Amino acid sequence: MTQACGCEHSANHTAATTEKVNTDKADAPWWRDRGLLLPLSAGILLLTGLSVSWIASGVLADVLAPALFWASLLAGASQFVPSALRGLLRTGRLGIGLLMTISATGAVILGHVEEAAALAFLYSIVEALEDRAMDKAHSGLRSLLSLIPPTATVLADGQGHEAQNRRSTDTIDVEVSALQPGQILRVAAGQRLATDGIVRSGSANLDVSAITGESMPVRVGPGAKVLAGSIVVDSALEVAATAAGTDNSLTTVVRLVENANERKGQRARIADRLARPLVPGVLVLAVAVALLGSVFADPAVWIERALVVLVAASPCALAISVPVTVVSAIGAASRVGVIIKSGAAFEQLGTVDHIAVDKTGTLTQNRTVVTDILADDSAGAKADHTVLQLAAALEAHSTHPLAAAITQAASTIDDAETSEVIEHAGSGISGIVGGQHVAVGNPRWLDPGALQPQVAELESAGKTVIVVQRSGVTIGAVALRDELRDEAPGVVKQLADEGYGITMLTGDNTRTARTVAADAGITDVRAGLSPQDKAAAVAQIAQRNQVAMLGDGINDAPALAAADVGIAMGATGSDVAVESADAALSSDNLELLPRALHHARRGRAIINQNIALSLAIIVALLPLALTGVLGLAAVVLVHEVAEVFVILNGLRAGLLKTQPAAETKIYCLSDCTQS
C-alpha cells in the first residue's frame, strides 16, 4: 500500500513539475527563454560576421568573419536539423525542416556560408516565435489553475478527523489535492473557493469574473451552487464540497481546453494537405532545375538557382499560420468563458449560420417559480398570501418538483398546524391545516369553480396551475412556470438581425413551447421531441445550413453530437452534454453565444488571410527565383519575414474585440422571493 501511494505521489509530482515547467517557459521573459536565445545568438553572430567582413580586412576578414558565420549557422541549424533528420530516418517524412536543411547544406557546398547562416537564423527564429506564440496562447489556459488556492480550511468533523477533545467548530488546513466531496469548507472574505460546492450557511457576494466573465458580483446564500476559483467578497461562507479538489469545474475547463489541439481544425488539415505534396514537389522541381540547367548551361549557376527555388517554394508560412491562429483564438475564447474543445470546432463555429436551441435550462432558467396567485374573495380568500400559505403548508410535506417552488415563494410555513397529509399520485395533496380540510391539486382533479376563465388563460400561456380548496370550496389558484432567461429575447433578436436562423427544439408540449418561443422571439418551434427526434431535426437542418446546437441536458446529447458544432450550456452542467459537445459556455449567460460566434468568424477570416498570403508568397517567389531575379539571401529574407507576418497576424485572433457595455443585470442564485 505504501508503495502504491508513493508511486501515485511520484506520478502526480512529475505531472505537476511538467506543468510548472511549461507554464514557467510561457511566463518567462524572452531573455530567459532558451528557445529564443539560440536563434537570437545566431542572428547576433551573423550580424557581427557581416560587419567584420564589411569593415575589416586581412586576417580578420579572412578568418574571423567565416568563423562567425559558421558559429551562426551551427546555432541556428541546431534548432531544426536534428528533428528534420529524425523525421526522415524514422518515418520517411519530408518536412519543411528538411527543405531548410537541404537548402542550407547546398549553400555551404557552393561556398555561401553566410547565406546558409542567414537561412538557418531566419528559419530558427520563426520557429522559436511560433513555439512562444503557442506557449503564450496555452499559458492563459494553464493560468486558470492558479485561481485554485493551494490549501483550504475544512471543518474538522467534515474531515472525519475529529478527536474526542476537538469541537465540531474546529478547522484544519488541508492540501486542495486532498479535498473530497462532502467536506465542509470555511471560506473567509477575500478568499477563493478551492472546489465546487453548495453553500451550507452564510450569505455573501461572489466575484466570479475570472470564472464566468460575469462583471458584477453575484449574491449567494444557503443552497446556492458555487464554483471553484470564485472570490468571496464580503463575508464568510460554509460550503459543502461537491467535487474533489483535483476534479472540479475549473480543472474540467482546463482539461477541455488543453486538449483543444488533439484534433486539428478543418482549415489546418487543408494546410497540411497542401504542404504534404508541396514538399516532395518542390524537391522534384529543384532537382529538375539543377539537372536541366547543368545540361544546357553552367552547372554551378543552375545548382545554386535550384537551391534558391527550393527555399522560395518552402511552405513553412502555410504550415504554421493556421495552428498559431487557432491556438491563439481558443486561448482568448477561454478567457471570456467560451470553452472550445478543438481547432476543428473553432473553425466550424466560424461557418455557422443556423442555431438550434433547447428550451428547458437553455432559453429558460430551469427553475420553476410562482408567477401568479389567484384569490376568490367571495369564497373567503381575503388575500393572495392566504392562498399561497395554505398551499405551502401542504406542499412542505410533498416531494413533487413543484412543491419546492411553492414553499420557497411562501413567506412563512406553519407546519405545526398541518396534519393527516395524504399525497394523491398524479393529482395533488390534501390534509388538515388549522383544523380545516385543505386540498391542493391540478384543475383536472380539483374544480377551479369561478376561477375557471383565469385558470384557462394561465394554462394557455404555458403555465402550470395548482387549484387550492378549503373545506371543499375553491378559494384560489397558484400558477408556476420555468421562466425565460432575462437576456434570451435580446440575444435572439441580435442573432436574427445578424442573419442567423434560429430553431427551438424541445420535448415539452406544443402549447408551452410556443409560448416560451413567442416570448423569446423565435418563430420556428419543434415540440414534443424525444432525444432521437432532436438529433434527426438537427440533421435535417444541417442538410441546408451549417448548424450549431445549444443545449444543456442529457437528452440534448444526441443533437449536440449531430450538429456541425455542439455547444453545451454551462461547462458545469450535464457531463454527458459537455462530453458530446464541441464547445461549452462556462456560465448560463446566453450573451456568451453571440460573442463566441463573432470571435469564431473573425478567427476564420484571419485563417483565410494567412492561407492566401502563404500561397501568394510561394507563387510570387518561384518565378523570381527560377529566373535568377532574386538570390538566395533575398529569397530567404522575403520568405521568413512573411512567416513572421503571418504569425503576428495569427496572434491577432487572440485579441478580443471590446464589446459594448451590456445592461446591468442582477442574478439571484438562491432565494429569489425575498426583496
Side-chain angles (χ1 to χ4, degrees):
M1 179 66 70
T2 304
Q3 183 179 3
C5 292
C7 293
E8 181 180 357
H9 179 271
S10 176
N12 291 339
H13 176 73
T14 301
T17 302
T18 303
E19 183 71 25
K20 185 178 186 303
V21 168
N22 291 337
T23 304
D24 289 347
K25 179 184 175 185
D27 295 336
W30 65 267
W31 61 86
R32 293 175 56 189
D33 187 345
R34 184 178 177 276
L36 275 177
L37 286 181
L38 271 175
L40 287 174
S41 64
I44 293 172
L45 290 168
L46 175 63
L47 289 176
T48 305
L50 291 173
S51 300
V52 169
S53 65
W54 292 336
I55 298 173
S57 60
V59 176
L60 283 178
D62 296 337
V63 178
L64 183 57
L68 291 170
F69 290 144
W70 273 105
S72 173
L73 173 60
L74 293 174
S78 67
Q79 298 298 94
F80 61 88
V81 171
S83 59
L85 294 178
R86 282 196 301 269
L88 176 64
L89 296 175
R90 292 179 181 178
T91 64
R93 180 171 57 88
L94 302 177
I96 297 168
L98 182 62
L99 274 179
M100 300 297 105
T101 302
I102 295 172
S103 299
T105 303
V108 170
I109 293 173
L110 292 174
H112 299 291
V113 179
E114 63 273 25
E115 279 85 354
L119 172 66
F121 159 64
L122 290 171
Y123 184 69
S124 63
I125 194 67
V126 167
E127 292 293 295
L129 287 174
E130 178 195 354
D131 290 341
R132 189 162 179 84
M134 295 291 190
D135 288 334
K136 281 294 183 183
H138 281 300
S139 67
L141 312 179
R142 286 192 289 264
S143 66
L144 287 174
L145 291 176
S146 66
L147 298 179
I148 301 178
T151 61
T153 301
V154 179
L155 293 187
D157 55 342
Q159 267 279 0
H161 299 306
E162 184 178 12
Q164 292 181 354
N165 61 347
R166 182 178 283 161
R167 296 170 299 155
S168 62
T169 55
D170 288 348
T171 59
I172 298 173
D173 287 339
V174 300
E175 296 289 332
V176 168
S177 59
L179 284 178
Q180 296 298 324
Q183 292 178 311
I184 307 301
L185 282 64
R186 180 168 291 172
V187 190
Q191 292 183 338
R192 289 187 184 273
L193 290 166
T195 190
D196 302 337
I198 296 177
V199 177
R200 193 179 76 161
S201 65
S203 180
N205 287 308
L206 280 190
D207 179 357
V208 295
S209 57
I211 312 302
T212 65
E214 188 75 50
S215 59
M216 298 294 293
V218 294
R219 189 73 181 174
V220 298
K225 294 181 180 180
V226 290
L227 302 179
S230 303
I231 301 174
V232 179
V233 176
D234 47 11
S235 59
L237 293 175
E238 284 190 3
V239 177
T242 58
T246 56
D247 188 21
N248 52 55
S249 59
L250 203 54
T251 59
T252 298
V253 165
V254 174
R255 190 161 58 248
L256 286 173
V257 181
E258 287 290 2
N259 292 333
N261 281 324
E262 288 188 0
R263 294 184 298 157
K264 288 189 175 180
Q266 183 65 31
R267 290 286 176 179
R269 287 194 292 270
I270 290 174
D272 288 342
R273 286 199 298 270
L274 288 172
R276 280 196 295 268
L278 190 57
V279 172
V282 167
L283 289 174
V284 170
L285 176 62
V287 171
V289 169
L291 291 177
L292 293 175
S294 298
V295 171
F296 298 105
D298 185 357
V301 172
W302 283 96
I303 289 175
E304 181 177 357
R305 194 166 295 181
L307 293 172
V308 177
V309 169
L310 198 64
V311 176
S314 298
C316 39
L318 175 66
I320 67 177
S321 61
V322 176
V324 170
T325 306
V326 169
V327 172
S328 299
I330 289 176
S334 71
R335 295 197 298 271
V336 295
V338 180
I339 310 306
I340 302 173
K341 295 166 66 174
S342 72
F346 174 76
E347 294 173 19
Q348 196 69 45
L349 189 61
T351 69
V352 165
D353 57 10
H354 198 103
I355 311 294
V357 58
D358 171 54
K359 179 184 77 70
T360 306
T362 304
L363 285 174
T364 67
Q365 301 173 18
N366 198 22
R367 186 174 61 84
T368 304
V369 295
V370 172
T371 60
D372 303 89
I373 301 173
L374 304 178
D376 187 350
D377 293 340
S378 64
K382 297 181 180 180
D384 293 352
H385 76 272
T386 302
V387 174
L388 185 60
Q389 296 306 114
L390 286 175
L394 288 179
E395 296 290 5
H397 299 268
S398 174
T399 58
H400 193 279
L402 296 181
I406 294 175
T407 55
Q408 191 175 42
S411 56
T412 59
I413 300 175
D414 194 351
D415 189 61
E417 295 189 5
T418 305
S419 60
E420 301 180 23
V421 177
I422 301 174
E423 284 207 63
H424 306 271
S427 299
I429 190 170
S430 63
I432 304 299
V433 181
Q436 293 181 298
H437 184 272
V438 175
V440 178
N442 63 58
R444 267 62 64 192
W445 183 53
L446 300 176
D447 184 5
L451 299 176
Q452 178 61 49
Q454 295 98 311
V455 168
E457 182 179 353
L458 290 171
E459 288 189 320
S460 66
K463 300 180 181 182
T464 299
V465 180
I466 304 298
V467 175
V468 181
Q469 288 188 349
R470 182 172 56 191
S471 300
V473 178
T474 297
I475 63 169
V478 179
L480 307 96
R481 189 170 72 173
D482 181 9
E483 288 291 271
L484 195 68
R485 295 186 185 277
D486 293 339
E487 72 275 14
V491 169
V492 169
K493 184 179 185 302
Q494 179 182 356
L495 292 174
D497 290 345
E498 293 172 1
Y500 290 96
I502 304 175
T503 300
M504 189 177 84
L505 308 176
T506 179
D508 211 339
N509 64 79
T510 301
R511 183 177 60 188
T512 300
R514 292 197 177 280
T515 300
V516 172
D519 292 343
I522 299 174
T523 56
D524 186 7
V525 182
R526 307 185 190 189
L529 303 178
S530 67
Q532 293 80 4
D533 294 335
K534 284 187 178 182
V538 167
Q540 183 185 30
I541 297 171
Q543 293 176 359
R544 305 181 305 274
N545 304 92
Q546 295 292 312
V547 60
M549 170 68 191
L550 180 65
D552 73 317
I554 294 175
N555 64 325
D556 298 321
L560 290 168
D564 293 305
V565 181
I567 306 173
M569 182 69 175
T572 58
S574 162
D575 289 341
V576 175
V578 173
E579 287 299 319
S580 301
D582 301 294
L585 308 183
S586 64
S587 79
D588 290 336
N589 189 348
L590 281 172
E591 290 172 341
L592 286 176
L593 179 60
R595 187 164 194 180
L597 294 170
H598 296 160
H599 183 60
R601 281 190 169 182
R602 178 170 175 266
R604 180 169 172 264
I606 293 174
I607 288 171
N608 288 336
Q609 292 168 11
N610 278 346
I611 289 178
L613 178 60
S614 301
L615 293 176
I617 291 168
I618 295 173
V619 171
L621 287 182
L622 267 179
L624 295 176
L626 190 61
T627 57
V629 174
L630 294 180
L632 180 62
V635 168
V636 169
L637 181 62
V638 172
H639 204 70
E640 303 304 337
V641 167
E643 287 185 12
V644 174
F645 180 83
V646 296
I647 288 174
L648 295 177
N649 189 44
L651 290 177
R652 286 197 307 116
L655 303 176
L656 293 164
K657 286 192 173 181
T658 303
Q659 298 292 307
E663 179 185 354
T664 301
K665 298 182 178 68
I666 298 176
Y667 298 97
C668 180
L669 299 185
S670 55
D671 186 356
C672 296
T673 62
Q674 303 299 320
S675 59

